[in-house]
Amino acid sequence: MSKNKTDSLLAVPCGSLQISELSPNTTTGVISQSIQFSLVIPTYKERDNIEKIVKILSQVLDEFMPKDYELIVVDDDSPDRTWEVAQSLMDEYPQLRVMRRQQEKGLSSAVIRGWQAARGNVLGVIDGDLQHPPEVLTQLLRGIQQGADLAVASRNVEGGGVSSWSVVRRFLSRGAQVLGLIILPGVVGRISDPMSGYFMVRRSALSGVTLNPVGYKILLEVVGRGRMRSIAEVGYVFCERKQGESKVTWKQYVDYIHHLLRLRLATGRVRQFSQKIGFPIGRFLRFGLVGLSGVFVDMAVLYLLSDPTTLALPLTRSKIIAGEIAIFNNFLLNDAWTFADVSMEQQGWSQRLKRFFKFNIICLAGLMLNVLVLNLVFNFLIPNRYIANLIAIAIATIWNFWVNLKLSWRVTE
Ligand code: GDD
Ligand code: MN
């Protein structure tokens, strides 16, 4: 055991999930020499697998590209202390680096954080549970050497398959792929195994790109947002797990659909149009949906407080409380969803409080605008209170959105 145990861990990159062009190490100001290949091994509770996989991967890569690669284990603070086991292997395997994440969680972001700390010109990922056969690595690397921007290990090309999956699991897997083809044909249609978690990509095809994944399927993100001109595929058989257990639950299916839709919005025609006119349509739609949820919250609280069958409090007092709770609801959702990318850059309670304060004031101003527009439209333009109200709501929503975009969730230094 070395004396400085914690010092030998990699620092966890923070901020947005962007892949930089140059190798990092900006903290020291020295640009460390780049290497050919960085392979990230995301782990969660893989104590019984980690030594074996590090050993096999090192053997394969030592032969193929001695000293020109690194293995980066990114562990999410596993309760079985996988990171500690990995760390204890560092003396024996000098190409091994270990990151222990304690703040963030999740497979996809683990992979990206690993890539952000990587020095390689080619960035790869492999599961830490030996379900991905390490021998395939050299074929994937050859694919890249022959000019591919992305090389994917696939279960659905020649030489590929799954070992002994049940009919149900096969069906679910295929069903997910078909769904992907429907929602996101331009991305999912480019690869025979879009669910693969075993692939490598040229840094140059990802640099400058900010990834924003949900759930497990990081390959979708890479193909959807990166600049993949040519893609190579290599067949592999997905082995059975011998140690530990899979972390896949039903939540991954929900995340997957969410991810498909988000990518569709981010890369589809809507996005192109939105860039052309300089208006963030996707964000505005989310803002609108959040606003709609606020209406329900407002109504429910108003009912609970003022209805004669419930608390029967005075109407105005009830409405003020209901409105404020709705504003709070909207703030939380907007902060976590609509403007997630911005709030991630500005974490911490005081920052969040500041945003909430601004949001509150802007919404109150929006309410006044709402009343004003309603009166103007009703009295001078369209003498129908409901149409006038719709117009007033639309204008107030755009105001709320735009001013909050510019003030509350503005990207500051
Ligand atoms: N750091 C980190 N954080 N690692 C994680 C997390 C997490 O939250 N969840 C899972 N992992 C690691 C596991 O330790 C393992 O090394 C790898 O990610 C894959 O997780 P499994 O739970 O074993 O997934 P699987 O075997 O069901 O799914 C695999 O096959 C899919 C193809 O159907 C994965 O490779 C998927 O990425 C792949 O898409
Ligand atoms: Mn697995």
Side-chain angles (χ1 to χ4, degrees):
M1 298 273 146
S2 47
K3 345 106 219 160
N4 255 336
K5 287 225 78 175
T6 38
D7 288 357
S8 66
L9 286 170
L10 279 173
V12 183
C14 54
S16 71
L17 295 169
Q18 193 182 61
I19 307 295
S20 68
E21 204 161 321
L22 290 166
S23 304
N25 227 342
T26 35
T27 38
T28 55
V30 188
I31 290 166
S32 49
Q33 217 182 340
S34 66
I35 52 174
Q36 235 194 96
F37 180 46
S38 300
L39 182 60
V40 167
I41 313 166
T43 58
Y44 190 69
K45 295 200 266 184
E46 302 292 0
R47 185 185 185 92
D48 298 330
N49 289 315
I50 193 71
E51 178 163 10
K52 187 156 176 211
I53 188 152
V54 167
K55 182 174 173 201
I56 303 180
L57 290 174
S58 302
Q59 277 167 357
V60 172
L61 290 170
D62 278 339
E63 194 169 322
F64 195 78
M65 41 168 54
K67 299 223 161 69
D68 213 7
Y69 74 92
E70 62 186 352
L71 301 177
I72 304 179
V73 169
V74 182
D75 186 69
D76 282 358
D77 210 18
S78 299
D80 70 3
R81 300 178 88 82
T82 307
W83 50 273
E84 202 175 50
V85 183
Q87 219 183 346
S88 72
L89 301 170
M90 285 173 60
D91 288 339
E92 192 177 344
Y93 300 97
Q95 308 307 116
L96 175 65
R97 305 165 80 200
V98 181
M99 186 186 296
R100 173 191 182 191
R101 295 201 310 166
Q102 291 172 286
Q103 316 292 340
E104 281 176 326
K105 292 203 175 325
L107 176 53
S108 292
S109 67
V111 176
I112 300 168
R113 292 300 184 205
W115 287 345
Q116 286 181 314
R119 295 170 296 187
N121 289 316
V122 176
L123 308 170
V125 56
I126 187 170
D127 282 1
D129 56 5
L130 296 157
Q131 289 192 278
H132 292 156
E135 316 79 67
V136 176
L137 267 186
T138 55
Q139 297 173 52
L140 291 171
L141 282 164
R142 271 200 203 97
I144 297 275
Q145 282 170 354
Q146 284 162 6
D149 291 313
L150 171 72
V152 182
S154 165
R155 294 164 294 180
N156 303 326
V157 294
E158 212 187 305
V162 287
S163 30
S164 55
W165 276 18
S166 69
V167 182
V168 177
R169 186 148 185 210
R170 274 169 215 263
F171 178 78
L172 279 178
S173 175
R174 283 296 182 177
Q177 193 173 353
V178 171
L179 194 71
L181 279 173
I182 296 170
I183 301 181
L184 205 64
V187 172
V188 176
R190 291 189 71 187
I191 11 176
S192 68
D193 191 355
M195 317 294 160
S196 179
Y198 188 11
F199 61 90
M200 55 186 73
V201 56
R202 265 178 216 277
R203 182 190 286 273
S204 60
L206 270 190
S207 57
V209 171
T210 301
L211 300 168
N212 188 12
V214 223
Y216 254 45
K217 302 305 170 193
I218 190 181
L219 179 57
L220 292 178
E221 195 65 16
V222 166
V223 178
R225 296 186 204 261
R227 300 173 293 271
M228 308 300 136
R229 285 160 309 170
S230 76
I231 300 178
E233 294 189 294
V234 177
Y236 85 98
V237 177
F238 193 65
C239 316
E240 284 305 298
R241 219 183 220 280
K242 297 201 181 70
Q243 302 290 335
E245 55 193 43
S246 168
K247 282 92 208 170
V248 173
T249 59
W250 60 269
K251 183 171 180 291
Q252 262 77 50
Y253 292 97
V254 178
D255 280 348
Y256 171 66
I257 295 172
H258 180 185
H259 194 186
L260 286 174
L261 292 172
R262 183 197 277 189
L263 261 179
R264 171 77 205 229
L265 274 181
T267 58
R269 250 170 266 147
V270 179
R271 178 54 167 261
Q272 283 164 17
F273 182 66
S274 143
Q275 270 165 354
K276 211 161 93 188
I277 61 171
F279 183 82
I281 300 174
R283 233 196 254 287
F284 183 65
L285 285 179
R286 278 176 284 173
F287 191 82
L289 277 178
V290 169
L292 207 60
S293 82
V295 173
F296 286 100
V297 171
D298 190 312
M299 289 279 191
V301 177
L302 191 73
Y303 167 77
L304 285 176
L305 297 179
S306 73
D307 199 84
T309 63
T310 55
L311 289 176
L313 293 176
L315 188 61
T316 305
R317 202 184 304 165
S318 306
K319 171 64 200 185
I320 291 174
I321 298 174
E324 190 55 41
I325 292 179
I327 287 181
F328 187 59
N329 165 81
N330 292 8
F331 173 76
L332 289 182
L333 291 175
N334 280 323
D335 207 49
W337 185 42
T338 315
F339 298 102
D341 51 334
V342 183
S343 39
M344 227 175 97
E345 305 257 311
Q346 301 167 27
Q347 289 175 349
W349 280 106
S350 69
Q351 297 263 41
R352 188 175 290 191
L353 213 67
K354 221 193 261 170
R355 289 198 293 273
F356 178 58
F357 189 67
K358 288 186 194 166
F359 182 73
N360 232 313
I361 299 216
I362 293 165
C363 287
L364 285 181
L367 185 62
M368 284 193 266
L369 184 72
N370 208 330
V371 176
L372 189 76
V373 174
L374 172 64
N375 277 292
L376 286 177
V377 175
F378 181 68
N379 290 317
F380 301 107
L381 287 173
I382 308 166
N384 176 314
R385 64 189 69 234
Y386 301 106
I387 295 179
N389 195 23
L390 264 184
I391 295 174
I393 291 173
I395 290 179
T397 307
I398 293 174
W399 148 275
N400 271 348
F401 174 68
W402 196 252
V403 183
N404 274 306
L405 177 75
K406 295 292 168 202
L407 293 181
S408 309
W409 284 279
R410 179 187 45 171
V411 187
T412 49
E413 288 310 301

